[in-house]
């Protein structure tokens, strides 16, 4: 098994030379969990996307899954935190098991987060363990506030590959401005426990990455956050651009800003509709995480297998819109206003 230091070195080189959005999880997935069948499916998938095909013989090689949309925080620009217009619920493990078993021969990576706090789902470690045994890289994004010793031990035993922890500040005051209801003191204590338990068990996983969303009120703490990350012993810290709905939160540094609106008026380079299965906790399959409400529901994994959903009429129509641009104003799917079209 390659060391984490090796992964970090190759990642940084590749970001500079190849593609700036590459993540450590991509490298782990490709190097640890590859197979001839997965590689062939990956090549076929990207070939079909570049050719503009809407009916695919390839299968998704990434899964974005939502164990729950419930959360303990009230972040102002998160749809769960500000309104929570969807019914709260927790995924039926059987649905996830069926999807994992069906797509395991083709899938490199599965994320467990969506629009909620995944650690609230009591069966999360079991689902991670299942995906790991099916040779799929596992990733969890969490606010970290529920990382007590018991949960940490279960995550380590499940062989979780990557743990992203959202911490938007290096002081209590700045952290609480966006992570409303949270406690930086408690969170940092949880991370210290996590790092200590990894050392105690002599485990290199999960890879721990601190994700810092840069807002105007916390951008002055970037240097302080880097120093704190070193002291804590996390494996990495990244600074992410902020999606905002209030000018007061917008960072002064333009590299940390995201556009609020970007209509799809020309062909897009979106890969999601070819590469990624995105699924809400109740089994509803959507284009990507931007469809919080599930307005574009391609089908439900409770009722259909993914092979049937993947090439149904709605999915093919969405792919056609992405490759050809908007044909009429009536075509209102999340892809119309996706921020990823111009970033």
């Amino acid at each position: 098994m390659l060391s984490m230091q090796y992964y970090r070195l190759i990642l940084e080189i590749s970001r500079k030379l190849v593609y700036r959005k590459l993540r450590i999880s991509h490298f782990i997935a490709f190097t640890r969990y590859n197979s001839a069948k997965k590689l062939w499916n990956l090549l076929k998938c990207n070939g079909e996307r570049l050719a503009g095909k809407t009916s695919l013989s390839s299968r998704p090689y990434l899964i974005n899954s939502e164990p729950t949309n419930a959360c303990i925080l009230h972040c102002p620009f998160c749809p769960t935190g500000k309104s929570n217009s969807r019914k709260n619920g927790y995924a039926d493990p059987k649905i996830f098991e069926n999807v994992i078993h069906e797509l395991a021969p083709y899938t490199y990576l599965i994320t467990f987060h969506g629009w909620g706090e995944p650690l609230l789902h009591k069966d999360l470690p079991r689902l991670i363990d299942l995906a790991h045994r099916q040779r799929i890289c596992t990733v969890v994004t969490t606010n970290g506030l529920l990382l007590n010793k018991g949960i940490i031990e279960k995550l380590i035993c499940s062989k979780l590959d990557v743990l992203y922890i959202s911490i938007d500040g290096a002081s209590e005051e700045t952290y609480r401005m966006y992570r409303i209801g949270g406690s930086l003191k408690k969170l940092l204590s949880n991370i210290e426990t996590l790092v200590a338990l990894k050392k105690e068990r002599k485990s290199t996983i999960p890879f721990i990455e601190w994700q810092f969303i840069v807002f105007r009120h916390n951008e002055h703490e970037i240097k302080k956050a880097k120093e704190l990350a070193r002291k804590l012993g996390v494996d990495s810290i990244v600074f992410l651009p902020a999606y905002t709905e209030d000018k007061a939160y917008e960072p002064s540094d333009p590299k940390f800003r995201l556009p609020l609106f970007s209509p799809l008026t020309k062909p897009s380079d979106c890969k999601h509709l070819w590469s990624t299965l995105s699924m809400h906790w109740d089994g509803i399959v959507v284009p990507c995480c931007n469809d919080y409400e599930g307005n574009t529901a391609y089908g439900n994994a409770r009722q259909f297998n993914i092979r049937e959903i993947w090439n149904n009429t709605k999915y093919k129509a969405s792919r056609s819109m992405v490759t050809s641009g908007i044909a009429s104003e009536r075509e209102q799917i999340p892809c119309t206003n996706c921020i990823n079209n111009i970033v």
Side-chain angles (χ1 to χ4, degrees), residues 101-183:
H101 281 298
E102 181 182 351
L103 295 181
Y106 314 98
T107 300
Y108 281 95
L109 182 148
I110 181 170
T111 61
F112 295 97
H113 35 260
W115 291 108
E117 172 48 55
L119 298 185
L120 286 169
H121 198 299
K122 62 182 178 61
D123 289 311
L124 180 65
R126 182 163 67 85
L127 294 172
I128 294 169
D129 177 65
L130 171 65
H132 174 77
R133 286 187 284 107
Q134 292 292 317
R135 295 198 49 73
I136 301 174
C137 179
T138 54
V139 179
V140 167
T141 298
T142 174
N143 58 46
L145 293 165
L146 298 178
L147 281 171
N148 58 46
K149 184 177 180 181
I151 290 178
I152 292 169
E153 289 179 337
K154 289 179 181 178
L155 292 177
I156 294 174
C157 289
S158 72
K159 305 297 184 184
L160 174 65
D161 288 290
V162 180
L163 184 66
Y164 295 134
I165 306 176
S166 302
I167 318 171
D168 312 319
S171 66
E172 197 73 55
E173 181 183 6
T174 55
Y175 170 78
R176 291 193 183 201
M177 286 187 70
Y178 187 73
R179 301 289 168 177
I180 297 172
S183 165

XYZ file of all heavy atoms in Angstrom, residues 101-183:
665
model
N -24.038 -3.254 -4.469
C -23.819 -4.562 -5.098
C -23.942 -4.471 -6.618
O -23.152 -5.075 -7.353
C -24.808 -5.591 -4.553
C -24.432 -6.137 -3.213
N -23.272 -6.855 -2.995
C -25.069 -6.080 -2.005
C -23.198 -7.214 -1.719
N -24.275 -6.754 -1.098
N -24.922 -3.692 -7.104
C -25.129 -3.598 -8.549
C -23.990 -2.869 -9.252
O -23.558 -3.266 -10.338
C -26.460 -2.892 -8.853
C -26.742 -2.787 -10.345
C -28.038 -2.055 -10.673
O -28.815 -1.763 -9.742
O -28.267 -1.759 -11.868
N -23.485 -1.800 -8.636
C -22.497 -0.949 -9.307
C -21.049 -1.238 -8.919
O -20.131 -0.676 -9.510
C -22.811 0.521 -9.031
C -24.131 1.047 -9.611
C -24.303 2.521 -9.274
C -24.193 0.840 -11.119
N -20.827 -2.109 -7.953
C -19.464 -2.387 -7.486
C -18.480 -2.759 -8.597
O -17.321 -2.325 -8.551
C -19.493 -3.478 -6.414
N -18.867 -3.545 -9.618
C -17.900 -3.892 -10.666
C -17.404 -2.701 -11.473
O -16.373 -2.787 -12.144
C -18.690 -4.852 -11.564
C -19.788 -5.381 -10.707
C -20.153 -4.250 -9.805
N -18.140 -1.566 -11.420
C -17.807 -0.405 -12.249
C -17.353 0.810 -11.436
O -16.745 1.719 -11.984
C -19.038 0.026 -13.066
C -19.761 -1.117 -13.724
C -20.897 -1.680 -13.146
C -19.309 -1.647 -14.932
C -21.565 -2.736 -13.740
C -19.969 -2.706 -15.535
C -21.099 -3.249 -14.935
O -21.743 -4.304 -15.535
N -17.636 0.825 -10.145
C -17.511 2.039 -9.342
C -16.193 2.114 -8.585
O -15.800 1.167 -7.907
C -18.683 2.145 -8.345
O -19.901 2.189 -9.091
C -18.566 3.394 -7.497
N -15.552 3.269 -8.683
C -14.313 3.528 -7.972
C -14.550 4.096 -6.580
O -13.814 3.798 -5.647
C -13.463 4.550 -8.747
C -12.700 3.986 -9.918
C -13.229 4.048 -11.206
C -11.447 3.411 -9.755
C -12.525 3.550 -12.294
C -10.731 2.912 -10.830
C -11.274 2.980 -12.097
O -10.578 2.480 -13.160
N -15.570 4.956 -6.441
C -15.664 5.752 -5.228
C -17.120 6.030 -4.864
O -17.950 6.260 -5.747
C -14.924 7.080 -5.443
C -14.826 8.089 -4.305
C -13.497 8.855 -4.422
C -15.966 9.093 -4.327
N -17.416 5.991 -3.576
C -18.734 6.373 -3.071
C -18.560 7.398 -1.961
O -17.709 7.237 -1.080
C -19.541 5.155 -2.582
C -20.933 5.597 -2.087
C -18.804 4.385 -1.486
C -21.880 4.426 -1.821
N -19.330 8.486 -2.027
C -19.331 9.482 -0.968
C -20.594 9.314 -0.132
O -21.675 9.072 -0.667
C -19.300 10.918 -1.537
O -20.456 11.140 -2.341
C -18.051 11.137 -2.368
N -20.441 9.441 1.164
C -21.572 9.387 2.087
C -21.723 10.760 2.737
O -21.087 11.043 3.744
C -21.338 8.327 3.173
C -21.262 6.911 2.679
C -20.026 6.308 2.440
C -22.405 6.154 2.475
C -19.947 4.993 2.005
C -22.332 4.841 2.037
C -21.106 4.257 1.805
N -22.523 11.626 2.159
C -22.834 12.889 2.834
C -24.124 13.515 2.324
O -25.135 13.416 2.969
C -21.673 13.897 2.811
C -20.819 13.925 1.610
N -19.602 13.319 1.546
C -20.995 14.519 0.407
C -19.042 13.526 0.372
N -19.868 14.249 -0.349
N -24.153 14.119 1.128
C -25.371 14.778 0.667
C -25.647 16.039 1.467
O -24.739 16.746 1.898
N -26.949 16.308 1.716
C -27.346 17.545 2.394
C -27.691 17.302 3.853
O -28.705 17.786 4.352
C -28.518 18.185 1.658
C -28.143 18.722 0.329
C -28.481 18.208 -0.889
C -27.354 19.881 0.065
N -27.956 18.964 -1.902
C -27.259 20.005 -1.343
C -26.722 20.816 0.870
C -26.549 21.038 -1.949
C -26.016 21.846 0.257
C -25.946 21.952 -1.133
N -26.872 16.573 4.561
C -27.115 16.325 5.975
C -25.828 15.909 6.655
O -24.761 15.872 6.034
N -25.916 15.583 7.913
C -24.760 15.121 8.680
C -24.773 13.587 8.686
O -25.588 12.969 9.375
C -24.814 15.667 10.103
C -23.759 15.094 11.041
C -22.363 15.098 10.442
O -21.880 16.173 10.023
O -21.751 14.005 10.384
N -23.891 12.952 7.924
C -23.936 11.492 7.763
C -23.734 10.707 9.047
O -24.224 9.581 9.169
C -22.810 11.207 6.762
C -21.905 12.395 6.852
C -22.789 13.561 7.153
N -23.012 11.282 10.026
C -22.760 10.542 11.265
C -24.020 10.356 12.101
O -24.012 9.585 13.064
C -21.679 11.240 12.090
C -20.293 11.364 11.436
C -19.303 11.976 12.417
C -19.784 10.026 10.933
N -25.111 11.024 11.716
C -26.388 10.805 12.402
C -27.002 9.452 12.047
O -27.867 8.952 12.761
C -27.383 11.921 12.043
C -27.137 13.289 12.682
C -28.032 14.342 12.022
C -27.395 13.243 14.180
N -26.561 8.867 10.934
C -27.098 7.569 10.496
C -26.384 6.449 11.244
O -25.180 6.256 11.104
C -26.925 7.401 8.988
C -27.808 6.341 8.395
N -27.734 5.021 8.767
C -28.801 6.421 7.475
C -28.624 4.329 8.078
N -29.294 5.159 7.299
N -27.129 5.696 12.025
C -26.522 4.682 12.890
C -25.866 3.542 12.114
O -24.994 2.838 12.637
C -27.564 4.120 13.855
C -28.732 3.410 13.206
C -29.737 2.937 14.245
C -30.958 2.265 13.635
N -30.629 1.063 12.864
N -26.293 3.316 10.856
C -25.734 2.221 10.069
C -24.595 2.656 9.154
O -24.126 1.858 8.337
C -26.833 1.563 9.218
C -27.808 0.765 10.064
O -27.341 -0.031 10.882
O -29.032 0.935 9.900
N -24.150 3.906 9.276
C -23.107 4.400 8.373
C -21.851 3.531 8.381
O -21.360 3.145 7.311
C -22.762 5.852 8.703
C -21.677 6.484 7.833
C -22.132 6.593 6.386
C -21.282 7.859 8.370
N -21.279 3.170 9.534
C -20.069 2.337 9.511
C -20.282 1.000 8.791
O -19.379 0.519 8.094
C -19.756 2.123 10.996
C -20.357 3.316 11.679
C -21.619 3.581 10.915
N -21.473 0.420 8.938
C -21.757 -0.860 8.262
C -21.801 -0.680 6.746
O -21.308 -1.538 5.995
C -23.076 -1.433 8.765
C -23.423 -2.783 8.160
C -24.494 -3.496 8.969
N -25.775 -2.825 8.911
C -26.678 -3.021 7.924
N -26.389 -3.824 6.922
N -27.834 -2.402 7.955
N -22.368 0.446 6.269
C -22.430 0.709 4.833
C -21.034 0.985 4.271
O -20.708 0.559 3.156
C -23.360 1.886 4.559
C -24.837 1.652 4.878
C -25.635 2.946 4.743
C -25.416 0.563 3.985
N -20.209 1.682 5.045
C -18.822 1.918 4.623
C -18.080 0.590 4.508
O -17.368 0.344 3.526
C -18.112 2.855 5.624
C -18.740 4.250 5.604
C -16.615 2.936 5.316
C -18.272 5.148 6.731
N -18.250 -0.250 5.502
C -17.601 -1.558 5.498
C -18.036 -2.389 4.292
O -17.210 -3.043 3.645
C -17.934 -2.299 6.795
C -17.356 -3.702 6.833
O -16.114 -3.829 6.848
O -18.139 -4.669 6.831
N -19.335 -2.340 3.966
C -19.840 -3.078 2.805
C -19.185 -2.578 1.526
O -18.719 -3.379 0.697
C -21.359 -2.915 2.710
C -22.003 -3.458 1.433
C -21.845 -4.972 1.338
C -23.487 -3.069 1.367
N -19.143 -1.253 1.350
C -18.527 -0.691 0.144
C -17.051 -1.046 0.068
O -16.533 -1.382 -1.010
C -18.713 0.825 0.130
N -16.360 -0.996 1.203
C -14.939 -1.356 1.229
C -14.738 -2.812 0.798
O -13.841 -3.111 0.000
C -14.369 -1.135 2.621
C -12.962 -1.619 2.767
N -11.876 -0.928 2.266
C -12.457 -2.750 3.347
C -10.772 -1.602 2.525
N -11.091 -2.699 3.189
N -15.582 -3.701 1.317
C -15.448 -5.123 0.959
C -15.810 -5.375 -0.501
O -15.356 -6.366 -1.086
C -16.319 -5.978 1.879
C -15.729 -6.108 3.297
C -16.472 -7.084 4.181
N -17.721 -6.540 4.682
C -18.923 -6.892 4.266
N -19.051 -7.796 3.298
N -20.014 -6.355 4.779
N -16.586 -4.474 -1.079
C -16.899 -4.557 -2.512
C -15.861 -3.810 -3.357
O -16.060 -3.588 -4.546
C -18.291 -3.977 -2.773
C -19.437 -4.791 -2.201
C -19.605 -6.123 -2.898
O -19.526 -6.215 -4.116
N -19.807 -7.172 -2.118
N -14.758 -3.419 -2.728
C -13.643 -2.741 -3.374
C -14.044 -1.412 -4.008
O -13.801 -1.134 -5.185
C -12.961 -3.649 -4.404
C -12.292 -4.864 -3.766
C -11.274 -5.517 -4.684
N -10.324 -4.582 -5.273
C -9.326 -3.990 -4.625
N -9.133 -4.237 -3.339
N -8.522 -3.156 -5.265
N -14.665 -0.560 -3.173
C -15.015 0.802 -3.555
C -14.397 1.752 -2.532
O -14.527 1.532 -1.329
C -16.550 1.015 -3.590
C -17.207 0.051 -4.584
C -16.887 2.456 -3.959
C -18.730 0.101 -4.562
N -13.743 2.803 -3.000
C -13.171 3.815 -2.105
C -14.306 4.556 -1.401
O -15.294 4.947 -2.032
C -12.327 4.800 -2.917
S -11.589 6.129 -1.943
N -14.161 4.760 -0.095
C -15.232 5.377 0.693
C -14.814 6.741 1.234
O -13.702 6.913 1.733
C -15.627 4.466 1.873
O -14.456 4.138 2.631
C -16.271 3.188 1.363
N -15.745 7.705 1.143
C -15.471 9.079 1.546
C -16.657 9.607 2.354
O -17.814 9.422 1.964
C -15.259 9.997 0.321
C -14.998 11.433 0.759
C -14.110 9.485 -0.539
N -16.365 10.271 3.467
C -17.395 10.898 4.296
C -17.018 12.357 4.517
O -15.863 12.663 4.817
C -17.541 10.182 5.658
C -18.380 11.014 6.633
C -18.160 8.800 5.487
N -17.997 13.246 4.345
C -17.816 14.651 4.710
C -18.699 14.945 5.915
O -19.900 14.648 5.895
C -18.204 15.587 3.556
O -17.349 15.339 2.443
C -18.056 17.041 3.973
N -18.124 15.520 6.948
C -18.842 15.719 8.200
C -18.506 17.071 8.813
O -17.449 17.649 8.521
C -18.475 14.607 9.212
O -19.078 14.881 10.481
C -16.975 14.521 9.415
N -19.408 17.572 9.674
C -19.069 18.778 10.436
C -18.206 18.420 11.651
O -17.680 19.306 12.323
C -20.315 19.563 10.858
C -21.285 18.748 11.706
O -20.889 18.048 12.643
N -22.572 18.846 11.380
N -18.071 17.117 11.937
C -17.141 16.647 12.961
C -17.603 16.720 14.394
O -16.924 16.222 15.304
N -18.770 17.293 14.630
C -19.206 17.506 16.008
C -19.660 16.221 16.698
O -19.745 16.166 17.931
C -20.334 18.542 16.042
C -19.883 19.951 15.633
C -21.083 20.831 15.334
C -19.020 20.582 16.732
N -19.947 15.180 15.933
C -20.380 13.907 16.507
C -19.250 12.879 16.570
O -19.484 11.712 16.886
C -21.543 13.338 15.687
C -22.815 14.196 15.637
C -23.869 13.536 14.744
C -23.376 14.415 17.031
N -18.041 13.319 16.307
C -16.899 12.394 16.284
C -16.436 12.045 17.700
O -15.344 12.410 18.129
C -15.744 12.991 15.490
C -15.830 12.910 13.963
C -14.730 13.743 13.331
C -15.749 11.463 13.486
N -17.260 11.302 18.421
C -16.816 10.828 19.734
C -15.981 9.558 19.572
O -15.856 9.020 18.464
C -18.020 10.583 20.657
C -19.001 9.583 20.082
O -18.611 8.525 19.590
N -20.293 9.892 20.150
N -15.422 9.078 20.637
C -14.512 7.931 20.575
C -15.177 6.701 19.975
O -14.571 5.996 19.159
C -13.982 7.610 21.974
C -12.949 6.497 21.983
C -12.387 6.260 23.393
C -11.345 5.143 23.378
N -10.809 4.880 24.735
N -16.432 6.445 20.347
C -17.127 5.266 19.839
C -17.302 5.296 18.340
O -17.051 4.303 17.639
N -17.736 6.449 17.806
C -17.930 6.575 16.359
C -16.597 6.500 15.627
O -16.480 5.855 14.575
C -18.665 7.894 16.034
C -20.119 7.816 16.512
C -18.613 8.186 14.536
C -20.916 9.088 16.292
N -15.576 7.144 16.181
C -14.249 7.114 15.544
C -13.746 5.680 15.414
O -13.243 5.272 14.355
C -13.241 7.964 16.343
C -13.615 9.442 16.246
C -11.818 7.739 15.838
C -12.850 10.342 17.205
N -13.876 4.893 16.474
C -13.415 3.498 16.425
C -14.164 2.705 15.361
O -13.585 1.882 14.649
C -13.576 2.858 17.802
C -12.571 3.392 18.827
C -12.743 2.773 20.199
O -13.859 2.294 20.495
O -11.756 2.776 20.971
N -15.467 2.959 15.235
C -16.252 2.260 14.213
C -15.817 2.663 12.806
O -15.748 1.824 11.904
C -17.740 2.550 14.407
C -18.350 1.877 15.624
C -19.824 2.236 15.758
C -20.430 1.575 17.002
N -21.863 1.956 17.166
N -15.514 3.948 12.612
C -15.075 4.418 11.297
C -13.718 3.818 10.921
O -13.491 3.434 9.771
C -15.000 5.946 11.269
C -16.331 6.700 11.365
C -16.088 8.204 11.389
C -17.260 6.335 10.211
N -12.820 3.751 11.880
C -11.505 3.146 11.605
C -11.667 1.663 11.277
O -11.064 1.162 10.324
C -10.556 3.349 12.804
C -10.232 4.839 12.986
C -9.263 2.554 12.611
C -9.421 5.152 14.229
N -12.500 0.961 12.040
C -12.727 -0.473 11.797
C -13.419 -0.726 10.463
O -13.230 -1.781 9.847
C -13.559 -1.075 12.921
S -12.671 -1.220 14.482
N -14.224 0.237 10.003
C -14.938 0.070 8.729
C -14.024 0.247 7.528
O -14.438 0.025 6.393
C -16.092 1.071 8.638
O -15.603 2.396 8.435
N -12.786 0.697 7.761
C -11.799 0.949 6.712
C -12.151 2.155 5.853
O -11.854 2.195 4.648
C -11.594 -0.291 5.820
C -11.230 -1.557 6.562
C -9.912 -1.450 7.274
C -9.519 -2.761 7.944
N -8.271 -2.653 8.717
N -12.799 3.156 6.464
C -13.079 4.404 5.757
C -11.782 4.973 5.195
O -10.790 5.098 5.900
C -13.716 5.413 6.718
C -13.941 6.826 6.177
C -14.949 6.836 5.052
C -14.377 7.756 7.309
N -11.807 5.346 3.909
C -10.590 5.824 3.263
C -10.305 7.296 3.528
O -9.176 7.670 3.848
C -10.687 5.607 1.750
C -10.581 4.145 1.375
O -9.484 3.577 1.515
O -11.599 3.554 0.959
N -11.333 8.149 3.371
C -11.114 9.598 3.466
C -12.219 10.229 4.307
O -13.404 9.951 4.112
C -11.099 10.260 2.071
C -10.877 11.768 2.190
C -10.014 9.635 1.189
N -11.803 11.110 5.234
C -12.743 11.850 6.061
C -12.486 13.337 5.874
O -11.436 13.850 6.246
C -12.572 11.467 7.537
C -13.565 12.099 8.519
C -14.977 11.600 8.258
C -13.161 11.797 9.966
N -13.457 14.020 5.256
C -13.378 15.470 5.100
C -14.141 16.109 6.261
O -15.302 15.775 6.509
C -14.006 15.922 3.787
C -13.293 15.428 2.545
C -14.016 14.882 1.476
C -11.920 15.525 2.419
C -13.378 14.440 0.327
C -11.264 15.078 1.280
C -11.999 14.547 0.234
O -11.364 14.110 -0.896
N -13.491 17.044 6.969
C -14.129 17.710 8.104
C -14.243 19.201 7.805
O -13.251 19.867 7.505
C -13.324 17.493 9.400
C -13.098 15.996 9.642
C -14.049 18.113 10.589
C -12.235 15.685 10.854
N -15.469 19.719 7.863
C -15.731 21.117 7.529
C -15.502 22.015 8.740
O -16.214 21.903 9.739
C -17.178 21.271 7.047
O -17.426 20.436 5.929
N -14.503 22.896 8.642
C -14.169 23.820 9.732
C -13.872 25.182 9.101
O -12.783 25.406 8.587
C -12.946 23.352 10.546
C -12.988 21.846 10.817
C -12.838 24.135 11.848
C -11.713 21.296 11.428
N -14.827 26.095 9.169
C -14.693 27.374 8.466
C -14.265 28.487 9.413
O -14.977 29.480 9.603
C -16.009 27.737 7.781
C -16.574 26.567 6.992
O -15.781 25.877 6.332
O -17.794 26.338 7.062
N -13.100 28.323 10.004
C -12.582 29.338 10.903
C -11.528 28.750 11.815
O -11.475 27.537 12.022
N -10.682 29.631 12.361
C -9.634 29.186 13.284
C -9.822 29.808 14.663
O -8.943 29.733 15.511
C -8.254 29.556 12.726
N -10.989 30.414 14.876
C -11.348 30.941 16.187
C -12.837 30.684 16.401
O -13.592 30.521 15.438
C -11.058 32.441 16.278
O -11.893 33.171 15.399
N -13.233 30.657 17.652
C -14.637 30.353 17.968
C -15.584 31.361 17.322
O -16.634 30.993 16.776
C -14.828 30.352 19.488
C -16.091 29.663 19.954
C -16.020 28.148 19.838
O -15.074 27.530 20.383
O -16.915 27.572 19.187
N -15.206 32.616 17.354
C -16.078 33.678 16.831
C -16.326 33.516 15.335
O -17.472 33.562 14.865
C -15.457 35.047 17.112
C -16.305 36.204 16.622
C -15.639 37.560 16.854
O -14.470 37.583 17.284
O -16.307 38.571 16.589
N -15.273 33.336 14.558
C -15.447 33.224 13.108
C -16.111 31.903 12.731
O -16.949 31.860 11.832
C -14.100 33.350 12.376
O -13.179 32.377 12.891
C -13.505 34.731 12.556
N -15.741 30.825 13.403
C -16.329 29.520 13.095
C -17.843 29.553 13.251
O -18.590 29.071 12.399
C -15.726 28.454 14.013
C -16.437 27.116 13.939
C -16.217 26.242 12.877
C -17.344 26.731 14.934
C -16.878 25.018 12.808
C -18.003 25.519 14.878
C -17.774 24.666 13.805
O -18.435 23.458 13.739
N -18.344 30.149 14.324
C -19.779 30.136 14.618
C -20.580 31.087 13.736
O -21.812 31.009 13.711
C -20.015 30.486 16.086
C -19.530 29.412 17.046
C -20.056 29.651 18.431
N -19.543 28.674 19.387
C -20.127 28.409 20.544
N -21.251 29.031 20.874
N -19.606 27.534 21.375
N -19.929 31.951 13.001
C -20.656 32.874 12.135
C -21.350 32.135 10.998
O -22.400 32.565 10.520
C -19.716 33.949 11.580
C -19.321 34.993 12.604
S -18.376 36.361 11.907
C -19.631 37.187 10.936
N -20.759 31.041 10.532
C -21.428 30.251 9.499
C -21.929 28.921 10.055
O -23.059 28.513 9.773
C -20.493 29.995 8.307
C -21.238 29.336 7.162
C -22.131 30.064 6.393
C -21.073 27.976 6.874
C -22.844 29.464 5.367
C -21.784 27.369 5.854
C -22.669 28.119 5.095
O -23.394 27.522 4.087
N -21.119 28.231 10.838
C -21.531 26.946 11.415
C -22.372 27.210 12.667
O -21.937 26.997 13.796
C -20.303 26.084 11.729
C -19.444 25.777 10.507
C -20.110 24.817 9.563
N -19.409 24.747 8.277
C -19.744 23.941 7.272
N -20.785 23.131 7.411
N -19.071 23.947 6.145
N -23.577 27.701 12.443
C -24.452 28.127 13.531
C -24.936 26.913 14.333
O -25.521 25.973 13.780
C -25.651 28.926 12.978
C -25.130 30.206 12.309
C -26.651 29.263 14.085
C -26.185 30.986 11.552
N -24.673 26.958 15.632
C -25.023 25.846 16.506
C -23.839 24.956 16.835
O -23.964 24.016 17.621
N -22.692 25.254 16.235
C -21.506 24.438 16.447
C -20.600 24.979 17.537
O -20.818 26.059 18.083
N -19.555 24.224 17.831
C -18.564 24.626 18.828
C -17.189 24.230 18.329
O -16.900 23.035 18.162
C -18.840 23.947 20.172
O -17.718 24.042 21.029
